[in-house]
Amino acid sequence: MIFPCDNPGDSMTAFLSPVEADPSNRTTQRLSRPIGTLRRFGAMLLTLVLLAPAAVAHEGHLAKNHSGDATHERRADEQSEQAFQLFSFLLSHWPSDLHDALIRQAWEERQWLRQSPDALTEQSLRDKRERVVRQLHATLPAIKLRWDGRSLAPLDPSTKLSFCRTIPSPLLVTIINDDHRELRLRIKNATDSAIEATSAEQFNVSSHTASSVCFTLRYDAEAVTDTLPLPMVASSGQRLRDVTVPIELTDPATIHASVTLNGQPTASRVLVRCSDGVYRHGGSLANKSTLTEKLVVYPPIDVWKKVRHFYVDGDVSMTVPPGLTTVTAEQGFEVERQRVVIDAQSRRTGRLQLQCQPIKDLPQTDWVSGDTHVHWVTNQWNVDEPLELLSVVQRAEGVQVVNNLTLLQRQANHAFIKPSQAPMGPIDAISDSIYHVQMGEEYRNEDLYGHLCFLNLDWLVQPIGTGAIIAGPDALDYPLNRTAIASCRQQGGISIEAHGTGGNKDVPVNVIHRLTDSLDQMEPSEYYQLLDCGFRLPLSNGSDHPARTLGAARTFVNVEPPLSYSRWIEGIREGRTFTTSGPMIYLSVNDGKIGDVFDTGPQEPLKIVAKFVSRDRIGVAQIVSNGTVVAEKRIDANRGELKLTIPAEHSRWIVARCSNRNDGRSDFGFGNFNAILGPGIGHTSPIYVTVDGQPRFDPAAAAYWRSRIREHIRDIQTKGRFATDAQLHEAITYMEDGIAMYEQLELQRKSARSLVEPWQTMRDRLINVIRRFGDPARTVQTIQQLHQATGPQTTKKALEELTLLKVSVNPESRVKIASTRDRIELRQDRPQRFLIEVENIAGVTAPLNITGFDLSFASPLPADWCSIRVIDSPFTSIYLTGNPNEYKVVELTAHKAGLREIRLVGDAGQGTQDLGFRATTDLLLDVKPRRWGSAP
């Protein structure tokens, strides 16, 4: 999660300290100063923000610091600061079609004020600012006034503005100063039309420039007037007569909208664009700030925005200004938008039906959307929101799986553990066969290690957070995040890196120790460097609500029906995902789907097909392999396809991605094909192709991660807080083990697939293999014994505790398989790894396969309740090497609890399935159910 911050100069990837739950912290409040009271009759509420004069062109931001013209510099900065205030105010009060343009321009103003090297020149900044103001005049109620040194009057006297009684409205006023002197104005505290607040008590309009002001107007139901007095007075010695603007007042119209999906009433997200260009909210949730106000996280301008949409549960009635009104209903990325334009009439009710339908002919089905990272709390983070509200929003957004994550925040003067609506596990009261809500945890260390999303938990992993920023000024950076991950895994949970690499955090070390199940919010460039090390890791994504709207970025997981949460989690483990902020992507290679791994020869063709479907324009669509774009197309429709056939040549990973920005970057110029940073972006997890059994490997990628970990060690040594030297030593040792594993990666990748592997090399490789079991309590003794091994026999002895199966291949290539024990204990939904000792007298080099059959039936059937796979990774191969003695790894995941007998069947290629030779072994599985025992 990312908290609001009062220091927007911090890095975007930094996780910011929380702001106290107080509306006064919001930019919308900081912009305002009370200077008046409301009139009882015909009240007009006026709130002012300013856009400073457009300045004469200058040579550039850096050059201005050496110009010697202090007055010019002051005016340029003043223009930018006041412009930033104007755009911030409009974002927080008046959502419009210019929402994105205002964010972009506010960011440019902020860059100028910070003297960023990336700031625009003064001329470019002024031009862009003027262009935005022109767009505002074309969108919102607006008028231009001219000052000639003697009077301030409408530039076009025939202009007459229309406002609606009882409905607040904006008014943009641009003042053009044709005088040779600067005009200084302030807001008059008029007694007959009280002004509630203003961003500045005075503002300046330089000679021969223009300045814009935004008012908020609200007239009560009985108000009668044909003029609007603008309460401005000159503060620079000039005489300024009262300024009035001709207006007309109208009465509101009412619209009643009903939304259905497949003919049935449904919760939905609704946008109502009124005749004055403003998006307004209606219904019972219209004033729910958790849903209607969001901090602009990217770019980091420290401004709250009022979103354009609101939520309804079936239907809504609301008043709007008369005139053409556009009503749009949305219900998730897989459902077509429905839009109706109605000519709303004063004092009348217009009724409309919005009948939503799923997008037709999706290329693939059985993809289930989810949000991995939700905190169902208010925008202040420390107060729970009702679960019933979550259910409405979840259905309105079409997010089938929501993970509601509890976190800890403790500071000197306050602390909370939220959300806390339910214990870990499913929330049955608001879950059904289509929608599921599960409590989980965000485990955080801000200072050093990073944030983790723990899904599929039975109980909270303590202490929930560590380090001074998260757990309080007296907290330690201990226990390590790896300890928490081990606890999560013990429960059958998965651990997702919450914010990409999060700066210089634990990600590369966790990945090489196989403590990472997926990566949220990951920049593709760094993701690809992990894939280039041979790791098989999926992408996932979540909104980090309330930082963003629920489902703003989401994960689609390929799940065979019927839907269950455990199947959704298993789909993430298997890498069958794509992440998106709008478009859906379906990728196949030789009919293999996302997450698949297959082996081929270097000259074998790879037929790659990527299909893209969206409610909006696709934009740039690409297929990327090993970091290189191998196919690209600009798709200006909402459907498209990329096809190509290439020879395999060498081992590779293949992904598809798209962005409706033609340069592939997010909507505001941050990130590259990263769905969390903007709408309209999608990215798949890979399909993996190995040539001759070798995984992809780039030495430069391994060197990059070694360098990152060394930097991380320096941070731990200089910034870490530990109670004892032993705790610091534990942290450093974990990092150093990671560096060593990256250093050994290239050699051990080859030796795991080599006919000749000296026992010392095999021992060192198996130490890394066992480290990647992800179960330190179970493996620590074996690793210690391996370090002490002096030969093949002592190595074999050390491995006995973890060896479950023995496989032998006789000279006729027949396979014999035997279990080292009759019964083992597993935990439901928790993958557990074991070693397979292989005696390969025949020198077979085929893949080793093991399948399971359920013996509870009279005729054994496939044990679909137990996933069994032989592991293929950089440190161990599924292929037999031909070496007479070697070890492989098997992983068992039981999805049903109870005492169950399973028959394991082994084969190693052609000629090894002769059942006349014993290729089976029976094993009793004692599968402990979820929530068994007591929490530690």
Side-chain angles (χ1 to χ4, degrees), residues 501 522-532 627 653 657 671-674 683 701 704-705:
T501 56
M522 189 73 174
E523 267 302 296
S525 59
E526 294 199 322
Y527 179 49
Y528 299 162
Q529 299 228 51
L530 291 171
L531 299 179
D532 280 345
W653 50 263
R657 63 189 193 182
N672 192 29
F673 292 100
N674 189 345
H683 198 299
Y704 171 77
W705 293 117

Side-chain angles (χ1 to χ4, degrees), residues 79 86 125 199 231 238 273 277 317 334 341-342 373 461 486 588 617-618 626 686 731 765 783 806 830 932:
Q79 294 160 19
L86 172 66
L125 183 66
S199 63
Q238 299 108 318
R273 186 186 186 278
S317 291
E334 299 164 281
V341 179
I342 183 173
H373 192 163
V461 174
S588 65
R617 167 183 169 272
I618 300 293
N626 292 355
R765 179 175 61 81
I783 292 174
K806 292 187 177 184
R830 174 193 168 195
W932 74 283

Side-chain angles (χ1 to χ4, degrees), residues 678-843:
I681 297 172
H683 198 299
T684 71
S685 295
I687 297 173
Y688 306 90
V689 179
T690 62
V691 172
D692 298 330
Q694 294 285 340
R696 161 73 175 169
F697 182 73
D698 180 359
Y704 171 77
W705 293 117
R706 291 197 302 269
S707 175
R708 286 286 297 268
I709 298 170
R710 290 189 182 101
E711 292 177 17
H712 192 18
I713 288 176
R714 288 193 288 271
D715 284 345
I716 291 172
Q717 291 171 330
T718 57
K719 302 176 184 177
R721 301 179 64 186
F722 302 93
T724 64
D725 289 342
Q727 291 179 356
L728 173 60
H729 177 73
E730 181 184 341
I732 299 301
T733 299
Y734 179 52
M735 299 298 130
E736 290 175 341
D737 285 346
I739 292 174
M741 293 173 76
Y742 277 102
E743 288 173 341
Q744 297 161 356
L745 194 54
E746 184 170 14
L747 172 64
Q748 294 186 359
R749 175 185 67 95
K750 293 178 179 178
S751 68
R753 295 156 176 85
S754 173
L755 175 62
V756 179
E757 184 181 33
W759 77 265
Q760 298 96 331
T761 304
M762 182 184 72
R763 178 199 61 187
D764 293 344
R765 179 175 61 81
L766 287 174
I767 288 173
N768 288 336
V769 167
I770 293 168
R771 279 178 176 148
R772 288 170 57 83
F773 275 26
D775 191 353
R778 181 167 154 257
T779 60
V780 62
Q781 185 175 352
T782 299
I783 292 174
Q784 290 172 354
Q785 292 173 353
L786 284 172
H787 279 297
Q788 297 167 3
T790 57
Q793 291 305 313
T794 51
T795 298
K796 180 177 178 179
K797 181 68 174 176
L799 296 172
E800 286 180 352
E801 183 64 28
L802 297 179
T803 301
L804 175 64
L805 300 175
K806 292 187 177 184
V807 171
S808 63
V809 186
N810 75 358
E812 289 78 32
S813 296
R814 293 177 177 176
V815 173
K816 179 179 180 180
I817 183 170
S819 173
T820 62
R821 61 202 82 172
D822 297 327
R823 173 175 175 157
I824 61 172
E825 184 178 295
L826 300 177
R827 185 174 296 177
Q828 185 181 1
D829 291 336
R830 174 193 168 195
Q832 192 158 326
R833 292 189 171 188
F834 302 89
L835 292 175
I836 306 171
E837 182 184 343
V838 178
E839 183 185 38
N840 186 3
I841 299 173

Side-chain angles (χ1 to χ4, degrees), residues 828-895:
Q828 185 181 1
D829 291 336
R830 174 193 168 195
Q832 192 158 326
R833 292 189 171 188
F834 302 89
L835 292 175
I836 306 171
E837 182 184 343
V838 178
E839 183 185 38
N840 186 3
I841 299 173
V844 170
T845 57
L848 176 63
N849 298 304
I850 296 176
T851 53
F853 289 85
D854 190 341
L855 296 183
S856 63
F857 297 94
S859 179
L861 297 176
D864 57 2
W865 51 268
C866 185
S867 303
I868 304 171
R869 63 183 183 125
V870 178
I871 299 301
D872 191 84
S873 78
F875 293 102
T876 183
S877 174
I878 192 174
Y879 284 85
L880 300 178
T881 63
N883 195 315
N885 298 103
E886 61 180 312
Y887 284 86
K888 298 300 179 184
V889 179
V890 64
E891 181 180 271
L892 279 69
T893 309
H895 301 293

Side-chain angles (χ1 to χ4, degrees), residues 143-438:
I143 191 170
K144 294 180 180 179
L145 305 178
R146 177 177 174 272
W147 169 252
D148 60 6
R150 296 181 301 277
S151 64
L152 188 64
L155 189 65
D156 181 0
S158 65
T159 300
K160 190 172 188 179
L161 300 170
S162 178
F163 298 101
C164 185
R165 296 179 180 91
T166 73
I167 297 178
S169 300
L171 172 61
L172 184 70
V173 178
T174 294
I175 300 171
I176 303 167
N177 183 4
D178 283 346
D179 193 25
H180 64 279
R181 296 171 298 170
E182 179 180 62
L183 175 63
R184 293 179 173 271
L185 297 173
R186 64 180 176 84
I187 303 302
K188 181 171 59 176
N189 189 0
T191 57
D192 57 341
S193 60
I195 302 172
E196 185 180 68
T198 181
S199 63
E201 295 182 358
Q202 63 179 25
F203 60 99
N204 306 327
V205 190
S206 297
S207 173
H208 302 295
T209 62
S211 175
S212 294
V213 179
C214 182
F215 293 92
T216 294
L217 311 178
R218 183 167 56 199
Y219 291 92
D220 64 26
E222 292 78 25
V224 178
T225 183
D226 58 3
T227 59
L228 167 64
L230 298 179
M232 297 181 291
V233 296
S235 59
S236 53
Q238 299 108 318
R239 281 182 66 85
L240 182 66
R241 290 176 291 182
D242 291 341
V243 181
T244 59
V245 175
I247 66 169
E248 65 174 359
L249 296 181
T250 61
D251 290 320
T254 300
I255 58 173
H256 182 90
S258 299
V259 185
T260 61
L261 177 64
N262 293 326
Q264 299 298 316
T266 184
S268 67
R269 167 172 163 151
V270 173
L271 299 89
V272 177
R273 186 186 186 278
C274 298
S275 57
D276 58 359
V278 172
Y279 286 82
R280 289 184 170 83
H281 301 160
S284 61
L285 302 178
N287 297 316
K288 189 70 174 175
S289 62
T290 303
L291 307 180
T292 60
E293 299 175 20
K294 294 297 167 191
L295 186 70
V296 179
V297 180
Y298 296 107
I301 57 176
D302 193 29
V303 168
W304 289 83
K305 65 180 178 182
K306 194 169 187 178
V307 301
R308 287 177 288 196
H309 67 270
F310 61 97
Y311 294 103
V312 304
D313 192 3
D315 56 11
V316 62
S317 291
M318 60 182 291
T319 57
V320 297
L324 292 180
T325 304
T326 303
V327 183
T328 305
E330 301 177 342
Q331 223 270 341
F333 297 167
E334 299 164 281
V335 176
E336 297 281 9
R337 291 190 183 92
Q338 291 299 310
R339 184 174 287 116
V340 175
V341 179
I342 183 173
D343 188 4
Q345 302 292 315
S346 290
R347 303 182 185 178
R348 294 185 180 179
T349 298
R351 299 185 179 275
L352 56 152
Q353 294 274 345
L354 295 113
Q355 300 174 348
C356 297
Q357 296 291 334
I359 295 175
K360 294 181 179 179
D361 303 323
L362 288 175
Q364 295 179 21
T365 57
D366 301 337
W367 287 88
V368 177
S369 64
D371 192 323
T372 59
H373 192 163
V374 172
H375 309 284
W376 195 244
V377 293
T378 66
N379 285 338
Q380 288 74 39
W381 297 86
N382 61 354
V383 177
D384 287 340
E385 286 284 12
L387 290 174
E388 295 76 14
L389 180 62
L390 171 57
S391 182
V392 171
V393 175
Q394 178 186 18
R395 286 158 171 76
E397 291 288 354
V399 181
Q400 289 180 257
V401 177
V402 168
N403 295 277
N404 189 27
L405 308 185
T406 297
L407 58 78
L408 163 73
Q409 184 63 47
R410 178 173 173 262
Q411 292 181 340
N413 60 348
H414 75 286
F416 57 85
I417 298 175
K418 296 291 180 182
S420 59
Q421 298 98 336
M424 296 297 99
I427 304 179
D428 294 332
I430 56 171
S431 298
D432 55 31
S433 61
I434 299 175
Y435 294 98
H436 184 91
V437 179
Q438 186 94 1

